[in-house]
Amino acid sequence: MASLADDGFSAARLFSQGVSYTYDDVIFLPGFIDFPADAVDLSTRLSRRVPLSVPCVASPMDTVSEAAMAAAMASLGGVAVVHSNTEPRAQASIVRAAKSRRLPFVSSLPIFSPASAPTLNDFAGHDYALVTEQGDSLSRLLGVAVAADAASPEAPAPVSEYMRPAPRSASASFDFEQAAAFLADEGLDYAPLVSEEGEVIDLVTSKDVERIRSYPKLGKPSLGADGKFVVAASIGTREDDKRRLEQLIQAGANAIVIDSSQGNSTYQLDMIRYAKKTFPEVDLIGGNVVTIGQAQNLIAAGVDGLRVGMGSGSICTTQEVCAVGRGQ
């Protein structure tokens, strides 16, 4: 009679045969279930000191991970790695924007001054815009402009002629349930989100509340020791990435990912040693790696986590162009 161990391969046996597998090559066999689905614990770690409620990470790509994705991922218990395909100051601004709230979205509303005369196109498809004294997030909030109230594009009127007085502001530190309760208690259709420092962060609306309530239940959010969303950010290995690293840490990035298709290089090892010596309190993730030797070198240099995989992404051409990589 065959033993249970012969019914399929154990993980140890499967992955010790020297064969490179893809996801299509393997499948789990069903087992016996004696627990409810809500008893399943998917919590894990992004790196040595950064916990996650769910094992989901958004890639550092410029079409994927900016402020909106970072806030959404953290609110669901995962994390996004903000891409570095932009100027260091802009990347740091994205990190700050995601960490400045506890709501699972970033609206990126336009901000106007009272004297400005925006056209409907300047609302960029948004129903609302914020109005501050100087037309930036750091000056005093004056009101809210509604796109439907704007003049025709041919003869735009100054915002001051049609803006609505700012309603009572909500704290930018409110989580979703607190923000929803605030709108309901105050009888408001919308409310600006303002930080403790007085910076205008965003606008939450009753439509946002209805939309988010229609989604699957929000899980335990990923929060750092500062009580804010966990947000990671990527850097390269060039000399000017040292300045980028400093700006990202000042912005509050909880982990830094060195973004490279081949992590086992002298350039990355040098960056790892510099980063760990200069900012030992921040977790550093190295990679990418697909061999034991690669992993050992990065671990010896001091990384707190590894990115594993080479050429396995749907749009990655490393294996086809360079004939280098490994099945994921």
Side-chain angles (χ1 to χ4, degrees):
M1 181 177 177
S3 68
L4 292 177
D6 293 327
D7 189 5
F9 285 2
S10 67
R13 181 180 175 188
L14 182 69
F15 294 113
S16 64
Q17 300 183 86
V19 178
S20 178
Y21 296 103
T22 69
Y23 287 111
D24 290 336
D25 293 326
V26 294
I27 192 170
F28 286 105
L29 294 177
F32 175 69
I33 298 174
D34 59 354
F35 51 85
D38 58 8
V40 176
D41 182 6
L42 295 178
S43 62
T44 184
R45 289 185 178 275
L46 173 70
S47 54
R48 194 186 310 273
R49 291 168 293 191
V50 180
L52 299 177
S53 298
V54 295
C56 295
V57 181
S59 177
M61 298 172 64
D62 52 10
T63 55
V64 176
S65 296
E66 292 195 339
M69 177 64 79
M73 289 294 291
S75 70
L76 293 169
V79 67
V81 184
V82 176
H83 70 86
S84 57
N85 299 327
T86 185
E87 292 298 317
R89 182 179 299 178
Q91 186 184 12
S93 178
I94 293 172
V95 172
R96 280 192 294 270
K99 292 183 68 70
S100 65
R101 69 202 66 223
R102 287 285 304 279
L103 296 178
F105 64 85
V106 175
S107 300
S108 300
L109 295 180
I111 301 178
F112 303 135
S113 68
S116 63
T119 66
L120 290 177
N121 289 336
D122 293 322
F123 281 80
H126 295 286
D127 293 332
Y128 302 97
L130 297 165
V131 183
T132 65
E133 285 184 336
Q134 303 299 324
D136 59 47
S137 64
L138 298 177
S139 54
R140 187 168 66 91
L141 177 68
L142 298 178
V144 175
V146 181
D149 297 339
S152 67
E154 291 77 19
V159 170
S160 58
E161 293 185 8
Y162 60 87
M163 75 176 191
R164 303 181 183 183
R168 184 181 171 194
S169 299
S171 171
S173 64
F174 280 1
D175 61 22
F176 172 71
E177 293 299 338
Q178 289 173 317
F182 179 86
L183 289 177
D185 293 344
E186 297 290 329
L188 299 173
D189 290 329
Y190 53 82
L193 298 174
V194 179
S195 70
E196 293 180 357
E197 295 77 22
E199 181 178 2
V200 182
I201 301 299
D202 210 331
L203 188 80
V204 59
T205 72
S206 56
K207 287 185 178 180
D208 293 325
V209 172
E210 293 175 7
R211 174 172 55 86
I212 293 170
R213 287 208 188 283
S214 70
Y215 295 164
K217 182 179 179 181
L218 294 176
K220 180 181 178 182
S222 298
L223 302 177
D226 56 4
K228 298 179 180 180
F229 279 158
V230 169
V231 179
S234 67
I235 63 171
T237 58
R238 299 180 184 276
E239 186 65 25
D240 56 6
D241 280 296
K242 293 179 179 179
R243 176 59 182 158
R244 180 185 298 272
L245 171 66
E246 180 181 353
Q247 292 191 35
L248 292 173
I249 291 176
Q250 290 174 349
N254 300 87
I256 298 295
V257 175
I258 301 180
D259 191 11
S260 173
S261 60
Q262 153 58 318
N264 190 27
S265 69
T266 184
Y267 309 107
Q268 182 158 152
L269 294 176
D270 288 345
M271 179 60 77
I272 291 169
R273 296 186 186 103
Y274 170 82
K276 293 305 296 182
K277 180 180 179 180
T278 310
F279 305 104
E281 72 283 0
V282 177
D283 275 14
L284 188 69
I285 300 171
N288 283 28
V289 299
V290 291
T291 70
I292 294 173
Q294 287 179 303
Q296 287 176 332
N297 281 348
L298 299 191
I299 292 170
V303 295
D304 302 290
L306 293 170
R307 292 179 77 195
V308 179
M310 186 179 294
S312 57
S314 62
I315 61 170
C316 186
T317 59
T318 304
Q319 292 186 14
E320 288 77 12
V321 174
C322 303
V324 176
R326 194 171 198 172
Q328 187 72 349

